[in-house]
Amino acid sequence: MSSTAKKEKWRNGEAKRILRMHILAGSINEGTDLDDLHGRHPEYLKWPIAQFKRNTKALLKSCKDKPNKALEKWGKSEAKALLKNDILDGTVTQESDAREVHNSRIEYKQYPFDNFKTNMGNLIELVHKEYDRMRTDCEAYGHDMAIVADLHSNNPPIPTPWHKSAAKKLLEKDIEEDKHLLPNGDKLMPIVLYKSRVEYREFKLKKFRGHLYQYLDKREKAKNAHRYNKKKTRGKAPATIVHNAPTRTNNES
C-alpha cells in the first residue's frame, strides 16, 4: 500500500466517495472491468489493485442492497452546491428541462430522477427568494444612505480646530525631527511638507503654512534666547572670595 493510502482510510476516503457516486449514477456496475477501472482516476491508483477491487465489490453490493443509505444527504451534498451555482450563473432556470439537468453531471445522476427534480424545483425557488431578499436589503440600504447623505449636506460636520487636531502634534514632531529641512539644510517648501501627511491636508494650505511659520519662529526665538543667556553667562567674571581682607582699626584712623 502506498504511503498516501496508509494515511487515508478507505472508509472516508476520496476514492470511495467517487466510486459510490458513479455506482449510484449507474456508470459503474457489476459488469465493469475493475482492472481497467483502477487506472481511470488518480484516487483509485493510490490503492493496490487487489485491495481496490475488493473494496469496489463490497461497495457495489452495499449500494445495491441499501441505495438510500449509501446516498449522500442532499442538504450538504456536492450535488446541491453545484446545482446552486448552476442556478446562480443562469445555466439552470425554471424553464430548464429537469431530465437534461439531471443527466448533465455525474453528481446529479447519483440521485433518483424524481427526487432530483423535486430538489431542483425547491432550490430554484429558494435562490429566487434569496435574490429578492437581497434586492430588498440593497434598496433599503440605498434609501438609508440617501437619508444619511441628506443629513450630512444639511448639517455639515464641525471641523476639528487646529489646537485639538492630530496635525498640530505631527507638525511639532516633524519640526523637531527637522523634516521641514532638505538634506543640505535648506528649508523645504511648505507645500511639500503639507502633502506629506493626510492630517495636514485636512486644513487649507494657507492655514497650515501659517502654523508652520509660527512654530519655526517660536523655535528660532527659543534658540536665540538660549544662545543669549549662554553668552551672557560666559561674559561675567566669576565671583571670588577674598580671604584675610585687611580691616581698619581705631589706631589707624
Side-chain angles (χ1 to χ4, degrees):
M1 185 183 294
S2 67
S3 59
T4 305
K6 287 180 181 178
K7 294 179 182 178
E8 183 181 281
K9 300 293 184 181
W10 172 265
R11 181 176 181 179
N12 299 315
E14 185 67 8
K16 181 181 179 181
R17 187 191 70 80
I18 297 170
L19 266 176
R20 181 175 56 221
M21 180 172 60
H22 282 277
I23 291 170
L24 292 170
S27 57
I28 296 175
N29 52 51
E30 293 176 346
T32 301
D33 185 342
L34 299 186
D35 290 295
D36 176 65
L37 178 63
H38 183 251
R40 292 184 192 176
H41 200 286
E43 290 295 331
Y44 302 162
L45 291 171
K46 292 179 180 179
W47 300 88
I49 181 65
Q51 186 175 0
F52 174 79
K53 291 169 72 173
R54 184 169 61 252
N55 290 338
T56 302
K57 289 178 181 178
L59 189 58
L60 280 164
K61 185 177 185 305
S62 174
C63 290
K64 182 179 179 180
D65 295 343
K66 300 178 181 179
N68 291 333
K69 185 176 180 180
L71 194 62
E72 184 180 14
K73 298 296 183 183
W74 174 260
K76 296 182 179 180
S77 67
E78 183 181 3
K80 181 182 178 181
L82 290 170
L83 182 58
K84 186 172 184 179
N85 286 336
D86 287 346
I87 295 170
L88 289 171
D89 66 19
T91 303
V92 175
T93 66
Q94 288 178 319
E95 289 73 33
S96 298
D97 183 87
R99 180 70 68 178
E100 291 182 0
V101 176
H102 184 252
N103 292 331
S104 65
R105 291 182 184 271
I106 191 68
E107 291 84 358
Y108 301 162
K109 291 177 69 176
Q110 63 181 311
Y111 294 89
F113 173 70
D114 290 339
N115 292 358
F116 176 82
K117 183 179 180 180
T118 300
N119 290 332
M120 173 179 156
N122 292 339
L123 191 55
I124 289 174
E125 184 179 354
L126 177 63
V127 169
H128 285 177
K129 285 182 178 179
E130 289 178 348
Y131 177 79
D132 290 340
R133 184 166 58 249
M134 179 185 66
R135 184 174 59 185
T136 301
D137 290 345
C138 288
E139 290 173 354
Y141 177 77
H143 177 263
D144 292 345
M145 290 305 296
I147 293 175
V148 172
D150 183 62
L151 287 172
H152 284 173
S153 62
N154 294 327
N155 302 280
I158 300 174
T160 304
W162 175 266
H163 68 280
K164 292 184 178 181
S165 68
K168 175 181 180 294
K169 295 180 180 179
L170 289 170
L171 182 57
E172 292 173 346
K173 180 175 179 289
D174 285 349
I175 291 175
E176 286 299 318
E177 295 176 357
D178 290 334
K179 291 185 178 179
H180 64 294
L181 300 176
L182 292 169
N184 62 3
D186 292 342
K187 289 183 179 179
L188 199 67
M189 291 184 65
I191 193 171
V192 178
L193 186 61
Y194 175 74
K195 290 182 177 180
S196 67
R197 291 186 185 274
V198 67
E199 291 84 357
Y200 295 160
R201 298 196 297 275
E202 292 178 5
F203 298 87
K204 291 185 177 180
L205 175 60
K206 183 178 180 180
K207 186 176 186 66
F208 171 81
R209 188 190 294 117
H211 285 291
L212 172 62
Y213 290 150
Q214 180 183 352
Y215 290 145
L216 290 176
D217 289 344
K218 182 179 178 181
R219 190 187 191 203
E220 188 64 26
K221 287 179 181 178
K223 285 184 178 180
N224 290 338
H226 177 71
R227 284 196 294 265
Y228 175 77
N229 291 332
K230 193 173 182 180
K231 186 176 180 181
K232 187 176 179 182
T233 302
R234 287 177 180 174
K236 288 184 178 180
T240 58
I241 300 175
V242 179
H243 296 282
N244 301 321
T247 57
R248 294 175 64 86
T249 63
N250 292 331
N251 295 332
E252 292 177 348
S253 57

PDB file of all heavy atoms in Angstrom, residues 156-173:
ATOM      1  N   PRO A 156     -23.456  69.958   8.011  1.00  0.00           N
ATOM      2  CA  PRO A 156     -22.051  69.597   7.782  1.00  0.00           C
ATOM      3  C   PRO A 156     -21.306  69.439   9.098  1.00  0.00           C
ATOM      4  O   PRO A 156     -21.574  70.162  10.064  1.00  0.00           O
ATOM      5  CB  PRO A 156     -21.510  70.785   6.977  1.00  0.00           C
ATOM      6  CG  PRO A 156     -22.446  71.913   7.280  1.00  0.00           C
ATOM      7  CD  PRO A 156     -23.786  71.287   7.497  1.00  0.00           C
ATOM      8  N   PRO A 157     -20.402  68.482   9.173  1.00  0.00           N
ATOM      9  CA  PRO A 157     -19.656  68.258  10.414  1.00  0.00           C
ATOM     10  C   PRO A 157     -18.781  69.457  10.763  1.00  0.00           C
ATOM     11  O   PRO A 157     -18.245  70.136   9.882  1.00  0.00           O
ATOM     12  CB  PRO A 157     -18.800  67.021  10.088  1.00  0.00           C
ATOM     13  CG  PRO A 157     -18.699  67.005   8.594  1.00  0.00           C
ATOM     14  CD  PRO A 157     -19.989  67.567   8.098  1.00  0.00           C
ATOM     15  N   ILE A 158     -18.665  69.723  12.051  1.00  0.00           N
ATOM     16  CA  ILE A 158     -17.838  70.835  12.518  1.00  0.00           C
ATOM     17  C   ILE A 158     -16.372  70.426  12.420  1.00  0.00           C
ATOM     18  O   ILE A 158     -15.974  69.404  12.983  1.00  0.00           O
ATOM     19  CB  ILE A 158     -18.192  71.192  13.975  1.00  0.00           C
ATOM     20  CG1 ILE A 158     -19.666  71.594  14.067  1.00  0.00           C
ATOM     21  CG2 ILE A 158     -17.290  72.301  14.495  1.00  0.00           C
ATOM     22  CD1 ILE A 158     -20.147  71.814  15.480  1.00  0.00           C
ATOM     23  N   PRO A 159     -15.573  71.191  11.683  1.00  0.00           N
ATOM     24  CA  PRO A 159     -14.163  70.808  11.532  1.00  0.00           C
ATOM     25  C   PRO A 159     -13.418  70.874  12.863  1.00  0.00           C
ATOM     26  O   PRO A 159     -13.725  71.691  13.729  1.00  0.00           O
ATOM     27  CB  PRO A 159     -13.625  71.840  10.537  1.00  0.00           C
ATOM     28  CG  PRO A 159     -14.545  73.012  10.652  1.00  0.00           C
ATOM     29  CD  PRO A 159     -15.893  72.439  10.969  1.00  0.00           C
ATOM     30  N   THR A 160     -12.446  70.012  13.009  1.00  0.00           N
ATOM     31  CA  THR A 160     -11.626  69.992  14.224  1.00  0.00           C
ATOM     32  C   THR A 160     -10.723  71.220  14.252  1.00  0.00           C
ATOM     33  O   THR A 160     -10.035  71.500  13.272  1.00  0.00           O
ATOM     34  CB  THR A 160     -10.750  68.727  14.252  1.00  0.00           C
ATOM     35  OG1 THR A 160     -11.587  67.582  14.140  1.00  0.00           O
ATOM     36  CG2 THR A 160      -9.951  68.649  15.548  1.00  0.00           C
ATOM     37  N   PRO A 161     -10.722  71.979  15.341  1.00  0.00           N
ATOM     38  CA  PRO A 161      -9.829  73.143  15.413  1.00  0.00           C
ATOM     39  C   PRO A 161      -8.369  72.703  15.434  1.00  0.00           C
ATOM     40  O   PRO A 161      -8.052  71.597  15.875  1.00  0.00           O
ATOM     41  CB  PRO A 161     -10.238  73.817  16.728  1.00  0.00           C
ATOM     42  CG  PRO A 161     -10.886  72.744  17.532  1.00  0.00           C
ATOM     43  CD  PRO A 161     -11.539  71.822  16.552  1.00  0.00           C
ATOM     44  N   TRP A 162      -7.501  73.587  14.969  1.00  0.00           N
ATOM     45  CA  TRP A 162      -6.087  73.232  14.845  1.00  0.00           C
ATOM     46  C   TRP A 162      -5.486  72.783  16.169  1.00  0.00           C
ATOM     47  O   TRP A 162      -4.763  71.784  16.223  1.00  0.00           O
ATOM     48  CB  TRP A 162      -5.299  74.426  14.294  1.00  0.00           C
ATOM     49  CG  TRP A 162      -3.823  74.169  14.253  1.00  0.00           C
ATOM     50  CD1 TRP A 162      -2.898  74.495  15.191  1.00  0.00           C
ATOM     51  CD2 TRP A 162      -3.117  73.478  13.223  1.00  0.00           C
ATOM     52  NE1 TRP A 162      -1.650  74.068  14.819  1.00  0.00           N
ATOM     53  CE2 TRP A 162      -1.751  73.438  13.609  1.00  0.00           C
ATOM     54  CE3 TRP A 162      -3.487  72.900  12.019  1.00  0.00           C
ATOM     55  CZ2 TRP A 162      -0.773  72.845  12.819  1.00  0.00           C
ATOM     56  CZ3 TRP A 162      -2.510  72.311  11.230  1.00  0.00           C
ATOM     57  CH2 TRP A 162      -1.168  72.281  11.635  1.00  0.00           C
ATOM     58  N   HIS A 163      -5.792  73.474  17.244  1.00  0.00           N
ATOM     59  CA  HIS A 163      -5.137  73.173  18.521  1.00  0.00           C
ATOM     60  C   HIS A 163      -5.559  71.815  19.096  1.00  0.00           C
ATOM     61  O   HIS A 163      -4.922  71.312  20.017  1.00  0.00           O
ATOM     62  CB  HIS A 163      -5.407  74.292  19.542  1.00  0.00           C
ATOM     63  CG  HIS A 163      -6.834  74.375  19.992  1.00  0.00           C
ATOM     64  ND1 HIS A 163      -7.819  74.996  19.243  1.00  0.00           N
ATOM     65  CD2 HIS A 163      -7.448  73.909  21.112  1.00  0.00           C
ATOM     66  CE1 HIS A 163      -8.972  74.913  19.886  1.00  0.00           C
ATOM     67  NE2 HIS A 163      -8.780  74.269  21.021  1.00  0.00           N
ATOM     68  N   LYS A 164      -6.637  71.225  18.550  1.00  0.00           N
ATOM     69  CA  LYS A 164      -7.068  69.902  19.012  1.00  0.00           C
ATOM     70  C   LYS A 164      -6.794  68.817  17.969  1.00  0.00           C
ATOM     71  O   LYS A 164      -7.165  67.663  18.174  1.00  0.00           O
ATOM     72  CB  LYS A 164      -8.568  69.917  19.327  1.00  0.00           C
ATOM     73  CG  LYS A 164      -8.944  70.763  20.531  1.00  0.00           C
ATOM     74  CD  LYS A 164     -10.433  70.643  20.818  1.00  0.00           C
ATOM     75  CE  LYS A 164     -10.830  71.443  22.049  1.00  0.00           C
ATOM     76  NZ  LYS A 164     -12.284  71.321  22.345  1.00  0.00           N
ATOM     77  N   SER A 165      -6.164  69.184  16.895  1.00  0.00           N
ATOM     78  CA  SER A 165      -6.002  68.252  15.775  1.00  0.00           C
ATOM     79  C   SER A 165      -4.736  67.414  15.891  1.00  0.00           C
ATOM     80  O   SER A 165      -3.779  67.773  16.589  1.00  0.00           O
ATOM     81  CB  SER A 165      -5.965  69.025  14.455  1.00  0.00           C
ATOM     82  OG  SER A 165      -4.778  69.792  14.373  1.00  0.00           O
ATOM     83  N   ALA A 166      -4.763  66.301  15.160  1.00  0.00           N
ATOM     84  CA  ALA A 166      -3.568  65.456  15.068  1.00  0.00           C
ATOM     85  C   ALA A 166      -2.488  66.160  14.262  1.00  0.00           C
ATOM     86  O   ALA A 166      -1.288  65.939  14.474  1.00  0.00           O
ATOM     87  CB  ALA A 166      -3.929  64.122  14.417  1.00  0.00           C
ATOM     88  N   ALA A 167      -2.908  67.030  13.339  1.00  0.00           N
ATOM     89  CA  ALA A 167      -1.947  67.752  12.501  1.00  0.00           C
ATOM     90  C   ALA A 167      -1.009  68.609  13.349  1.00  0.00           C
ATOM     91  O   ALA A 167       0.188  68.714  13.055  1.00  0.00           O
ATOM     92  CB  ALA A 167      -2.698  68.618  11.491  1.00  0.00           C
ATOM     93  N   LYS A 168      -1.533  69.216  14.400  1.00  0.00           N
ATOM     94  CA  LYS A 168      -0.719  70.073  15.272  1.00  0.00           C
ATOM     95  C   LYS A 168       0.425  69.276  15.899  1.00  0.00           C
ATOM     96  O   LYS A 168       1.592  69.687  15.857  1.00  0.00           O
ATOM     97  CB  LYS A 168      -1.597  70.680  16.362  1.00  0.00           C
ATOM     98  CG  LYS A 168      -0.837  71.501  17.404  1.00  0.00           C
ATOM     99  CD  LYS A 168      -1.796  72.028  18.457  1.00  0.00           C
ATOM    100  CE  LYS A 168      -1.059  72.851  19.510  1.00  0.00           C
ATOM    101  NZ  LYS A 168      -0.129  72.020  20.301  1.00  0.00           N
ATOM    102  N   LYS A 169       0.087  68.115  16.467  1.00  0.00           N
ATOM    103  CA  LYS A 169       1.109  67.290  17.121  1.00  0.00           C
ATOM    104  C   LYS A 169       2.128  66.768  16.109  1.00  0.00           C
ATOM    105  O   LYS A 169       3.327  66.715  16.382  1.00  0.00           O
ATOM    106  CB  LYS A 169       0.445  66.128  17.851  1.00  0.00           C
ATOM    107  CG  LYS A 169      -0.445  66.559  19.007  1.00  0.00           C
ATOM    108  CD  LYS A 169      -1.082  65.356  19.686  1.00  0.00           C
ATOM    109  CE  LYS A 169      -1.974  65.789  20.847  1.00  0.00           C
ATOM    110  NZ  LYS A 169      -2.620  64.638  21.512  1.00  0.00           N
ATOM    111  N   LEU A 170       1.628  66.395  14.937  1.00  0.00           N
ATOM    112  CA  LEU A 170       2.527  65.860  13.914  1.00  0.00           C
ATOM    113  C   LEU A 170       3.470  66.936  13.388  1.00  0.00           C
ATOM    114  O   LEU A 170       4.648  66.663  13.123  1.00  0.00           O
ATOM    115  CB  LEU A 170       1.704  65.268  12.761  1.00  0.00           C
ATOM    116  CG  LEU A 170       0.956  63.973  13.086  1.00  0.00           C
ATOM    117  CD1 LEU A 170      -0.005  63.611  11.966  1.00  0.00           C
ATOM    118  CD2 LEU A 170       1.941  62.831  13.322  1.00  0.00           C
ATOM    119  N   LEU A 171       2.961  68.152  13.247  1.00  0.00           N
ATOM    120  CA  LEU A 171       3.810  69.233  12.751  1.00  0.00           C
ATOM    121  C   LEU A 171       4.912  69.555  13.757  1.00  0.00           C
ATOM    122  O   LEU A 171       6.074  69.759  13.381  1.00  0.00           O
ATOM    123  CB  LEU A 171       2.967  70.473  12.461  1.00  0.00           C
ATOM    124  CG  LEU A 171       3.726  71.671  11.883  1.00  0.00           C
ATOM    125  CD1 LEU A 171       4.437  71.286  10.591  1.00  0.00           C
ATOM    126  CD2 LEU A 171       2.793  72.850  11.651  1.00  0.00           C
ATOM    127  N   GLU A 172       4.559  69.603  15.025  1.00  0.00           N
ATOM    128  CA  GLU A 172       5.567  69.848  16.056  1.00  0.00           C
ATOM    129  C   GLU A 172       6.631  68.751  16.036  1.00  0.00           C
ATOM    130  O   GLU A 172       7.829  69.019  16.159  1.00  0.00           O
ATOM    131  CB  GLU A 172       4.894  69.918  17.425  1.00  0.00           C
ATOM    132  CG  GLU A 172       4.004  71.144  17.601  1.00  0.00           C
ATOM    133  CD  GLU A 172       3.226  71.110  18.900  1.00  0.00           C
ATOM    134  OE1 GLU A 172       3.179  70.027  19.529  1.00  0.00           O
ATOM    135  OE2 GLU A 172       2.657  72.151  19.285  1.00  0.00           O
ATOM    136  N   LYS A 173       6.185  67.522  15.854  1.00  0.00           N
ATOM    137  CA  LYS A 173       7.110  66.386  15.805  1.00  0.00           C
ATOM    138  C   LYS A 173       8.010  66.475  14.571  1.00  0.00           C
ATOM    139  O   LYS A 173       9.223  66.254  14.650  1.00  0.00           O
ATOM    140  CB  LYS A 173       6.312  65.082  15.784  1.00  0.00           C
ATOM    141  CG  LYS A 173       7.144  63.808  15.729  1.00  0.00           C
ATOM    142  CD  LYS A 173       6.231  62.593  15.847  1.00  0.00           C
ATOM    143  CE  LYS A 173       7.016  61.287  15.779  1.00  0.00           C
ATOM    144  NZ  LYS A 173       7.545  61.032  14.428  1.00  0.00           N
TER     145      LYS A 173
END
